[in-house]
Amino acid sequence: PGFFVLSERTGFKNIYRYDANGKLLSKLTNHPFEVQGIERIDYARKQVWYTARSGKNPLWIQLHRVNFDGSGDVRLTDPNVGHRIQMDPQGEMFVDHAEALDVPTVSTLRDATGKEIAKLGAADFAAFQKEGFQLAKRFECLAADGKTTISG
């Protein structure tokens, strides 16, 4: 079936598929953002599940799915928060831990399309706020080059 490689040859880390002899079969992703890693390879469905920094904030990880030929690339998580993902071995569902600096963590069971099956739990900051603690605030500024946005 060949193998998959993460490469930064375009300036951003993307996924490439090769045959067993090292011949390039397809470029699965062609994004202007970083692919973080491959979460699951489904040879039966000819799909790759991967995480990438494609959210509203480049620090936030998102889950994507793409076909072996590079078609059908879809983000399965909300781009307005970051995600930690736990895939089930069959690729039928995943646990999504969604969070941001100013959004308490919510854990949700989702199907393979990203649709919510069940809410598993949510962090409660009420006790911390009662003690006077505040949620962190996001910020953005320009780097010294005057063009690059820095998120924190």
Side-chain angles (χ1 to χ4, degrees), residues 14-117:
N14 280 287
I15 305 171
Y16 299 82
R17 181 173 165 240
Y18 292 85
D19 69 13
N21 296 315
K23 177 184 172 194
L24 179 64
L25 297 175
S26 59
K27 183 177 182 181
L28 276 70
T29 61
N30 187 24
H31 297 305
F33 51 77
E34 294 290 320
V35 169
Q36 183 70 20
I38 294 173
E39 297 296 315
R40 182 173 197 284
I41 298 172
D42 187 331
Y43 288 98
R45 293 184 183 122
K46 296 185 165 69
Q47 294 178 324
V48 173
W49 299 66
Y50 68 95
T51 51
R53 297 185 178 280
S54 63
K56 184 177 176 183
N57 181 318
L59 300 175
W60 296 337
I61 301 297
Q62 306 293 316
L63 180 65
H64 292 249
R65 184 184 63 236
V66 66
N67 296 321
F68 279 12
D69 66 0
S71 67
D73 194 341
V74 61
R75 180 174 43 217
L76 301 170
T77 51
D78 179 356
N80 293 304
V81 292
H83 302 269
R84 287 178 291 117
I85 302 298
Q86 295 173 292
M87 300 282 308
D88 89 296
Q90 291 75 36
E92 299 297 327
M93 61 188 83
F94 62 94
V95 176
D96 175 16
H97 305 282
E99 61 191 350
L101 289 175
D102 56 351
V103 178
T105 303
V106 176
S107 297
T108 308
L109 180 64
R110 298 187 178 279
D111 70 12
T113 68
K115 182 181 173 188
E116 182 177 316
I117 296 171

Side-chain angles (χ1 to χ4, degrees), residues 126-135:
F128 291 104
Q129 291 170 328
K130 184 178 177 185
E131 294 297 322
F133 290 100
Q134 297 179 7
L135 294 173

